[in-house]
Amino acid sequence: MTNYTVNSKTMNEKPLSHQKKRTFQPEKLSPPRDFSKPSILLNNNAESAPIIIEIGTGKGKHALSFAATNPDRHLIAIERTRNKFEAFAKQASQQDLDNLTPVHADAIAWIVHAMASNSVAQIYILYPNPEQHNPNQQWLNMPFFEFLLSRLQEGGEIILATNIETYMDNAEQQADRVWRLPAVRQQVPADSQRTHFEVKYLARNESCWQLTMHKPTGYQTRFDEWTASE
């Protein structure tokens, strides 16, 4: 892997597009147990369906609904917790959705070893753990977010939702000041039912927010040419 410095130029004389100083180290991550790439990622057909990723799919309420209503897109839904994943995988097998791939793994390690640069059209991070006692683990505070952006296609989007206003405030600030991403913040409609958490929060008359971030054309990261060793 080539070493880069934030705000310097790459070997191609292209400046990085963000202000993150800490560098993610993907080469230190081992593949998840029993790792293998889904067949959709082995298909080099340019006409294949756009790839969507959901990180932390839980029991799969959003993933199942999304796949059923978007047959022209392929959703890879990643869940780390075993009992949640098993509940999700059981429902997915019953619905037999060809455009849905459930993955039981840590999302960071799996994405590092599975996803190619500029290959993902859309990423959902819906109601992640707010990590209020460890803000360095919030998604937009993590060096991994740069790697995630390298996997996103130009013009692609990352959709983050939370019921924690301070989490959203920080995410919106990081998207602008650190990651230099165009972003739109919206309040989630009261009748939205994407996830079990969203249903619960809105039923309690809590406010929920969504931040939609777009990757601009020409956006540069330190990992645009990085690939995992086989």
Side-chain angles (χ1 to χ4, degrees):
M1 178 179 173
T2 305
N3 291 321
Y4 297 105
T5 302
V6 173
N7 294 328
S8 69
K9 294 185 178 181
T10 69
M11 293 176 64
N12 295 323
E13 297 299 313
K14 295 179 180 179
L16 297 177
S17 300
H18 62 81
Q19 301 296 313
K20 190 69 172 180
K21 295 182 179 180
R22 289 178 59 205
T23 304
F24 180 61
Q25 297 179 301
E27 69 279 1
K28 293 188 176 182
L29 286 183
S30 300
R33 181 179 298 180
D34 301 323
F35 172 78
S36 63
K37 288 187 180 182
S39 58
I40 185 68
L41 299 183
L42 301 175
N43 182 0
N44 294 321
N45 185 350
E47 301 300 322
S48 60
I51 300 296
I52 316 299
I53 288 179
E54 182 174 357
I55 296 175
T57 197
K59 295 182 180 180
K61 181 176 175 61
H62 173 260
L64 294 164
S65 174
F66 182 95
T69 55
N70 294 274
D72 59 334
R73 299 187 170 200
H74 193 101
L75 176 62
I76 299 174
I78 309 170
E79 174 55 44
R80 180 175 60 183
T81 306
R82 178 173 294 278
N83 64 340
K84 292 181 180 179
F85 175 78
E86 289 177 348
F88 165 43
K90 181 178 180 180
Q91 291 188 71
S93 64
Q94 292 172 347
Q95 295 193 28
D96 193 26
L97 295 163
D98 293 336
N99 64 327
L100 175 61
T101 299
V103 172
H104 180 217
D106 174 79
I108 293 177
W110 194 90
I111 288 170
V112 163
H113 287 275
M115 301 308 305
S117 177
N118 196 42
S119 63
V120 183
Q122 196 173 44
I123 299 169
Y124 283 91
I125 309 175
L126 303 178
Y127 301 94
N129 186 334
E131 299 286 359
Q132 291 172 297
H133 300 294
N134 190 10
N136 286 334
Q137 293 300 309
Q138 294 181 12
W139 285 100
L140 275 82
N141 292 347
M142 297 167 62
F144 170 71
F145 197 76
E146 180 184 359
F147 189 92
L148 191 63
L149 287 171
S150 76
R151 307 299 101 170
L152 190 66
Q153 295 171 357
E154 292 183 349
E157 62 183 20
I158 299 178
I159 297 172
L160 172 73
T162 182
N163 67 317
I164 306 295
E165 187 171 12
T166 54
Y167 190 113
M168 181 55 64
D169 291 342
N170 176 71
E172 185 178 23
Q173 183 180 84
Q174 293 288 100
D176 177 37
R177 298 182 183 178
V178 176
W179 300 111
R180 305 299 199 195
L181 299 172
V184 176
R185 176 175 175 168
Q186 299 171 301
Q187 190 160 344
V188 175
D191 59 352
S192 186
Q193 299 185 14
R194 289 177 297 185
T195 76
H196 292 96
F197 283 124
E198 188 166 83
V199 171
K200 178 176 69 173
Y201 298 146
L202 293 174
R204 297 194 306 218
N205 294 319
E206 295 183 22
S207 295
C208 296
W209 293 270
Q210 174 173 303
L211 189 68
T212 303
M213 297 161 275
H214 291 88
K215 180 179 178 179
T217 300
Y219 194 96
Q220 300 291 318
T221 81
R222 286 167 280 204
F223 307 105
D224 295 336
E225 298 179 6
W226 193 92
T227 58
S229 58
E230 298 295 336

